[in-house]
Amino acid sequence: MVAAPDPARAPLTGREGELAGLRAALDALAGGGARVLTVVGEAGIGKSRLLGALAEQAAARETRVLAGRGAELERDVPFGPWVDALDEALGRSADRLRRALGPEVVAELGAVFASCAGPGEVRDAPVAAERHRLHHAARAAVDVLAAAGPVAIVLDDVHWADPASLELVAHLVRRPPRRPHLLVLALRPGEVATGLRDVLREADRAGTSTHLELGPLDRAAAAGLLTGVRDPELATRLLDESGGNPFLLGELARSAAARAGAATATAAADAAGGASRDGIPAAIAGAVGAELAALEPLALALARGAAVAGDPFDADLAAAAAGIDPGAFPAALDALLATGLARETPIPRRFAFRHPVVRRAVYEGLGAGARLAAHERAAEALAATGRGPVERAHHVAHAARAGDAGAAALLADAGRAVAPRAPDTAAAWWATALRILPADARDQRRDLLLDLGGVLADAGRPHDAHAALEEALALLAPEARAERLRATVRLAELGHLVGSYEPERRRLEAALASLGAGEREAEAALRLELSYSAFAQMDLATGGALAQEALRAADAAGSPVLRVAAHAQVSGVAALAGDEAQATAHLAEADVLFAALDDLELARHPRAATMLALAAGFAERLEWSLACARRGIAAGRAAGGGAVVLSLQVVETGVLGQLGRLAEADEAGQAAEDAARLAGNAQLLQWALGNRSWHALRRGDLESAVRLARLSAAQPVEASAISRTSACVLAAALLEAGDATAARSALLDAAGEELTGLDLTWAGRARVVLVRAAVALGRPDEAAAWAAQAATAAEGSPLRLVALHARLAAAEALLAAGDGAAAAAELGPVVAATAPAFPFEAEEARLVLGRALAAAGDRPAALVELTAAVEAFAAAGAERLRAAGVRELRRLGRRLTGGGARAAGERGIEALSRRELEVAALVRDGRRNREIAEELFLSEKTVEGHLARIFAKLGVGSRAQVAAALARAGD
C-alpha cells in the first residue's frame, strides 16, 4: 500500500535558508521594524507551507497573524484577500478604531469591511480616482491593530488577487503603516501585475523588503516526503517525475495509491493524465481525476458545487450550487472530507480545498453546461437569502444568458456599487452586462457605456475609456444635441488630461462648426476646452483669443459657471502674457461670480474652479488660489468628477509649497500622487511627482528629490509645459546633488536654449538653474549670458516672481564674478517686493542677498538678511536651506543654536533676534520710533519693547551706542 504524503502538514525539509529568512523578518519586526517579505515560487513549490511555518513562529513570539488569500476563480470579487485577512480583526477592534480614527475613516472602511459598517449606515461613495482615501483608512487601521503589538499580514496567492486588492497592497508597500508590522506576500514568478512588481522593486532598492525565492527541493529533501512509499522503484519514478515539487510529488503518490486500490481509478487517471489541461499539469489532473472517480455520486456533486462556490467555500452555498438536497448534504460532506480533497477551516461551515490547483482541476473538470447551471443555482441561492447585487454578481456574470435584461441590470447595479473603490471590477461586470443586453436596449447600452467610460478612466485605462465614450456618443440620437455636445467635451477633457491634444482639437472644432446660432452655452464649453488645450501647450495667443470668444458666448448664454471659467481662463492667459490690467480685471470678475455660485452649480462644472485656481496663482494670489482649489475639490467630490478633483489636488500641492507650508504640501502631494497612480493619468502623475520633488529639494531630502524628479521626467506623455517643468525640477535636483553637467543637459534637452514651452515663472527658475550650473562648471561667460537672457525675458512683465528670478540669476552671475556689491544691489529691492506674495521664494533669494552683502563687506546687513532667512527656513522645515544659511552666518562669526534661536542669556550682536536686528539697523540709519514702526508695520509700543531688549543685549544705553555697536560688528 502506498501512503501519500501531505505537503501541507509535512515537516519543512530542505528549506533551512528560507526558514532563516523568516526568522530574520520576524526579528526585525520584534525590533520595531516595518518590512515587506515576498515569497516567490511556482505552483506547488511550498509557498503556503512556508507561510504556515511563519504563522507558527509568529504565534510563538506573540505576534498576531492576519491571513488572506487570492482565489483564481474569484478575481472579479473586490478586496477578497483583504476581507479574509482584516475583517474579523477590525470587528473586534471596532471601538478602538472609532476612538482612534473617527467616524468618517471608519465609515470609509465600512464600505469594504462589513465589520466596520454600522447598522443601516449609508455611506457616500468617493469619486473613483480618490479611492486612495480607502487606502489611507486601511493603513491607519493597521496602525491601530498594531498598537497592541506587532502584526503580520499574510496574503497568499497574491497573483490571483483582484485589482482593487493589488492597489491596496501597492499602497501599503509604498506608504507602510508606522507601527511594527510585517506584510507577507506569496506569489508566482512572472504572474504579478506590472504596477505591483514595480512597487516591490522600489522597496527592494530602498532596502525595506526581503525576497525569498523557492526552488525545487533537492533529491534528499524530496525523498524525505516519501516515507510511506515502500517500493524503491516507485519512489525513484515519483522523484524523477515531480522534479522536486512537493505538491506534485504528493499528487503523484496519491495517484499511485489510487491505482493500487482501484482499477476504475486507474482508468480515470489514465484518461485524465494524458495532457495538460488549462494550465494544470497532466499528472495533477490525472491524480485529482482518480480521486474524483473514486467518490460516491453525492460527494462528487458536492466537490463540484464547492469548486463553483469558492475557495474557501461556504457549505450551504456549495450544496445549493451542486443541487444537493439538504437532507443528503451531511453524508456527502463527510465523504468529501474523508478523501482529503477538502478540509475544515477555523470558521464554522467554511471549508477549503487541499490546494488551489485541486480546486481548479475540479472546476475545469466540469462541463461547460454543468458550470453554467451551478453558477446559476449559486446566484439563486444567494438571492433567496437576501444577498445584494455585489454578492451575486460573480455568479450572475458566469451564468447570464444573452438577452437577459434582469441579469444585465443586476450587473449594472453591482458595478455602480463597487466602482468608486474597485473600478476594474465594475468595468468587468459592465462589459458583461453590455454583452448580454437585449439588442433593442439602446438607451441602457448608451448609459452603461457612459458609466464604463468614466470608470475605465479612473481605473487607469484612458484609451479603453475613450473608446467606450466614443461608442456611447455614436448611440446618442442626432436630436440629442445637448447630450452629444457634453459627451464631446468630456472626450476632449479626457484626451487633454492624458496629453492628447491634436485629435481632440479636431473633434472640438468639428463640433463647434456644427452648432446653430442659439447654442451659445455649448459654444462656450467647446471654446473653453479648445483654449485650455492651447494654453496647456503654451500657445498663449491662440488660448487667449479662444478664451475671449468663450467669454462672449458664456455672457450671451447667461451661464454663471461658464462665465467664471471663461473669465478665469482669460485672466490666466493674460497674466502669463504680461497683460496685468486685463489679468486683474478678469480675475476680479471671476471672483465675484465664483463667490455667488452655489455648490450645486460648481459641481456641474468643477473645471471652473481649476481654471480660477490656476489664474489666481498666475496672478500671484496664492492664498486665493488655495481657497479656490479647496472649494473646487469639495464640489468635484460631490459631483463624482475624479479627474477634475485630481487636477485640483495637484494645484493645491503646488500652492502649499510656494507658500512654504512644506509639511502640508508633502502630505497633499502624497495623496495627489496616489490618486494619479490609481487613475493611470501619466500627465497628472508627472505634475504631482514634480511637485513632490521640488518640495523634497526644499526640505533638504536630496535623495528623494532626485528619485521623484526622475520618476516625473520618465512619465510617458507628450511634450507639454508640464513635461518641461518636470525637466526643470530634475535639473534643480541634479544640480544640488552635485551633477551640474547632467542638470544642464536635462533642462536643455527638454526645453532648448530658448526654454520654449515653459511658462514665465518656470522659465525664470530654469534660467537660475542654468546660471548656477554654469558657475559650478567654471563657465562665467555662460552664466552671464543666461542672466542676460533672464533679464530680457522679464522686461515688461508685471509678475514679481519673474522679476525676482531675473534679478536672482543676475546676482548669482555677479557673485561668481566677485562683485558682491552689484549682486546685492540687484536683489535688495526685489526681495522685499516679492515677499508678500511668495514668502518662501523671497527667503531663498534673501539667502543669496545675505551672501552678496557679506561679499561686499556689509557684515551687519548680511547678518540681518541671513538670520531672517535661517529663521524662516527653520519654521518651514527647509533643512537644506537652513543649513546653508547657518554656514554663511558661521563664516561671519555668528553662532546659532538649533534652528536659529539664540541661547538664553547670550549677549552682543549675536544675541539679537531677526526683528531686533532689523530695528537696530534702522536705528543706525537714524530712523525715529514712529518711522521704524511704519516701515516694519509695527506699533510704536512694540518698537519701544524691541529697543529695550536691544539695549539690554548690547549693554548700551542710547541709540548712538546701538549704531556704534553695529559699526564695530561690521569692521
Side-chain angles (χ1 to χ4, degrees):
M1 182 69 181
V2 178
D6 186 348
R9 293 189 171 93
L12 265 175
T13 58
R15 299 296 189 198
E16 288 73 19
E18 290 84 352
L19 289 170
L22 296 186
R23 287 191 294 271
L26 291 170
D27 288 343
L29 180 59
R35 293 192 65 79
V36 178
L37 173 65
T38 56
V39 179
V40 180
E42 66 181 20
I45 204 66
K47 299 185 298 296
S48 298
R49 181 65 187 92
L50 197 66
L51 297 188
L54 181 142
E56 293 164 8
Q57 292 187 26
R61 297 171 182 234
E62 298 186 347
T63 293
R64 190 176 186 185
V65 177
L66 307 173
R69 194 179 84 193
E72 182 183 15
L73 303 179
E74 281 79 39
R75 280 183 272 189
D76 62 342
V77 177
F79 298 105
W82 286 105
V83 171
D84 283 349
L86 298 185
D87 195 41
E88 184 179 359
L90 294 175
R92 291 178 179 174
S93 303
D95 292 338
R96 277 198 298 137
L97 286 169
R98 291 185 186 278
R99 287 195 302 270
L101 306 180
E104 289 186 7
V105 175
V106 174
E108 186 69 45
L109 293 169
V112 170
F113 302 101
S115 62
C116 293
E121 189 175 59
V122 177
R123 295 174 299 276
D124 292 332
V127 295
E130 285 201 290
R131 53 196 185 275
H132 66 281
R133 290 160 60 188
L134 170 67
H135 300 171
H136 285 262
R139 183 178 64 184
V142 172
D143 266 328
V144 172
L145 294 177
V151 169
I153 301 173
V154 180
L155 302 181
D156 200 356
D157 292 330
V158 172
H159 48 277
W160 287 333
D162 60 282
S165 289
L166 292 176
E167 287 179 351
L168 181 50
V169 170
H171 177 83
L172 293 180
V173 172
R174 187 180 286 114
R175 313 229 190 280
R178 297 185 307 276
R179 295 187 185 275
H181 73 284
L182 178 64
L183 178 60
V184 185
L185 309 172
L187 45 94
R188 293 182 187 172
E191 292 189 30
V192 68
T194 301
L196 179 57
R197 184 168 60 246
D198 292 344
V199 170
L200 291 173
R201 285 174 179 166
E202 288 177 24
D204 282 340
R205 288 192 292 268
T208 59
S209 71
T210 300
H211 183 82
L212 298 180
E213 187 148 0
L214 274 63
L217 292 174
D218 62 38
R219 198 167 185 86
L225 298 176
L226 291 177
T227 54
V229 179
R230 304 288 183 242
D231 182 347
E233 183 179 339
L234 175 60
T236 297
R237 181 163 57 82
L238 294 176
L239 291 170
D240 290 341
E241 292 179 8
S242 71
N245 183 302
F247 175 72
L248 181 54
L249 179 62
E251 293 304 303
L252 290 169
R254 287 178 185 277
S255 180
R259 282 187 172 92
T264 55
T266 302
D270 290 340
S276 176
R277 183 181 64 219
D278 297 303
I280 303 170
I284 293 178
V288 175
E291 290 182 87
L292 292 174
L295 285 175
E296 59 185 60
L298 280 178
L300 177 60
L302 181 59
R304 290 170 171 168
V308 168
D311 191 21
F313 59 87
D314 176 83
D316 298 311
L317 185 61
I324 294 176
D325 183 89
F329 166 69
L333 179 62
D334 288 342
L336 177 60
L337 296 177
T339 66
L341 281 166
R343 59 171 61 96
E344 295 183 72
T345 73
I347 303 173
R349 303 190 71 79
R350 280 175 71 81
F351 303 86
F353 282 92
R354 180 169 69 236
H355 191 279
V357 173
V358 172
R359 186 261 180 120
R360 174 69 183 272
V362 175
Y363 185 85
E364 296 296 343
L366 280 164
R371 279 200 300 271
L372 287 173
H375 278 295
E376 193 165 24
R377 287 191 293 268
E380 291 169 354
L382 289 169
T385 56
R387 305 297 178 86
V390 172
E391 292 161 294
R392 294 153 55 195
H394 167 71
H395 295 290
V396 170
H398 279 75
R401 300 172 175 84
D404 188 339
L410 181 141
L411 291 170
D413 289 343
R416 292 186 184 100
V418 303
R421 296 171 181 87
D424 285 285
T425 295
W429 286 343
W430 284 340
T432 301
L434 286 166
R435 178 176 54 79
I436 65 173
L437 269 172
D440 59 352
R442 183 186 180 91
D443 291 346
Q444 294 95 317
R445 183 175 299 278
R446 177 201 63 217
D447 293 344
L448 261 181
L449 283 165
L450 290 171
D451 286 342
L452 181 61
V455 82
L456 286 169
D458 288 324
R461 296 160 59 184
H463 298 295
D464 291 340
H466 207 274
L469 289 173
E470 283 194 303
E471 189 177 347
L473 181 62
L475 289 172
L476 285 165
E479 60 271 17
R481 293 282 299 164
E483 291 84 355
R484 291 181 65 82
L485 290 168
R486 278 197 295 271
T488 299
V489 172
R490 178 69 186 94
L491 276 166
E493 287 177 352
L494 179 62
H496 292 157
L497 284 167
V498 298
S500 174
Y501 295 106
E502 185 58 26
E504 300 312 326
R505 181 188 63 78
R506 292 196 297 269
R507 184 194 307 276
L508 290 166
E509 288 178 345
L512 196 60
S514 74
L515 293 180
E519 295 179 294
R520 302 309 299 273
E521 186 168 334
E523 179 189 350
L526 291 167
R527 291 194 187 280
L528 267 175
E529 200 58 37
L530 280 166
S531 173
Y532 181 85
S533 174
F535 172 76
Q537 299 172 87
M538 284 295 107
D539 182 354
L540 298 183
T542 302
L546 285 165
Q548 291 281 10
E549 293 170 358
L551 178 57
R552 286 191 287 272
D555 284 340
S559 168
V561 71
L562 287 174
R563 292 180 67 204
V564 169
H567 275 298
Q569 187 76 347
V570 172
S571 174
V573 173
L576 290 180
D579 190 340
E580 183 177 22
Q582 183 167 224
T584 301
H586 284 282
L587 191 62
E589 287 286 343
D591 183 44
V592 171
L593 291 166
F594 187 70
L597 283 179
D598 63 38
D599 286 345
L600 286 177
E601 287 180 290
L602 185 57
R604 284 193 288 269
H605 201 299
R607 175 68 73 82
T610 306
M611 293 176 171
L612 185 54
L614 288 171
F618 295 142
E620 304 186 329
R621 313 283 180 84
L622 296 186
E623 293 288 356
W624 187 4
S625 176
L626 183 62
C628 291
R630 287 180 167 172
R631 187 181 173 203
I633 288 170
R637 284 173 175 161
V644 174
V645 169
L646 175 52
S647 63
L648 282 165
Q649 282 181 288
V650 180
V651 172
E652 175 192 28
T653 302
V655 174
L656 286 168
Q658 288 183 297
L659 288 168
R661 292 155 62 173
L662 297 183
E664 286 183 77
D666 188 54
E667 182 178 353
Q670 287 188 25
E673 179 194 337
D674 291 344
R677 286 185 185 280
L678 293 174
N681 192 315
Q683 188 177 69
L684 289 178
L685 178 58
Q686 182 174 66
W687 191 2
L689 287 166
N691 280 344
R692 290 201 64 210
S693 173
W694 194 249
H695 303 153
L697 186 62
R698 288 173 159 181
R699 290 196 316 274
D701 184 355
L702 283 182
E703 182 180 352
S704 293
V706 172
R707 177 179 60 82
L708 290 165
R710 289 192 188 281
L711 287 172
S712 176
Q715 293 305 307
V717 295
E718 293 182 20
S720 67
I722 293 174
S723 66
R724 296 182 185 99
T725 297
S726 174
C728 183
V729 173
L730 176 59
L734 290 170
L735 180 63
E736 289 300 325
D739 195 343
T741 301
R744 185 180 184 279
S745 297
L747 191 43
L748 295 181
D749 288 349
E753 294 195 357
E754 297 301 318
L755 302 180
T756 52
L758 280 168
D759 67 56
L760 285 177
T761 55
W762 275 103
R765 291 186 182 107
R767 292 185 180 100
V768 172
V769 170
L770 289 166
V771 168
R772 289 172 173 166
V775 169
L777 293 169
R779 302 173 183 174
D781 292 343
E782 183 178 322
W786 284 119
Q789 189 188 100
T792 301
E795 287 178 2
S797 173
L799 299 178
R800 286 168 287 185
L801 196 57
V802 172
L804 178 73
H805 291 141
R807 297 294 185 90
L808 184 56
E812 292 280 18
L814 288 167
L815 264 176
D819 194 345
E826 286 281 350
L827 277 178
V830 76
V831 167
T834 308
F838 294 91
F840 196 88
E841 299 213 40
E843 295 302 332
E844 289 182 290
R846 191 187 300 278
L847 184 60
V848 180
L849 174 59
R851 287 170 44 217
L853 289 166
D858 191 347
R859 182 175 181 272
L863 288 173
V864 170
E865 301 299 344
L866 291 170
T867 302
V870 165
E871 291 185 348
F873 295 143
E879 177 55 30
R880 178 183 66 88
L881 293 166
R882 187 203 70 81
V886 168
R887 286 193 298 272
E888 295 298 328
L889 286 169
R890 284 174 179 162
R891 291 190 182 103
L892 296 174
R894 175 49 104 39
R895 300 184 307 278
L896 297 180
T897 64
R902 283 95 187 140
E906 190 178 354
R907 295 176 64 83
I909 291 290
E910 288 77 13
L912 299 183
S913 70
R914 166 190 172 182
R915 181 62 83 188
E916 288 163 355
L917 275 168
E918 290 176 331
V919 171
L922 292 170
V923 167
R924 177 200 58 190
D925 294 342
R927 305 290 185 88
R928 292 173 293 179
N929 285 4
R930 179 175 57 79
E931 294 170 325
I932 295 171
E934 289 174 352
E935 182 156 343
L936 299 180
F937 301 99
L938 302 173
S939 68
E940 286 190 56
K941 187 172 182 179
T942 300
V943 172
E944 290 169 3
H946 283 310
L947 271 176
R949 288 188 289 277
I950 290 167
F951 286 177
K953 290 178 180 180
L954 296 181
V956 300
S958 70
R959 300 168 79 93
Q961 288 174 318
V962 170
L966 288 181
R968 286 193 301 273
D971 290 340

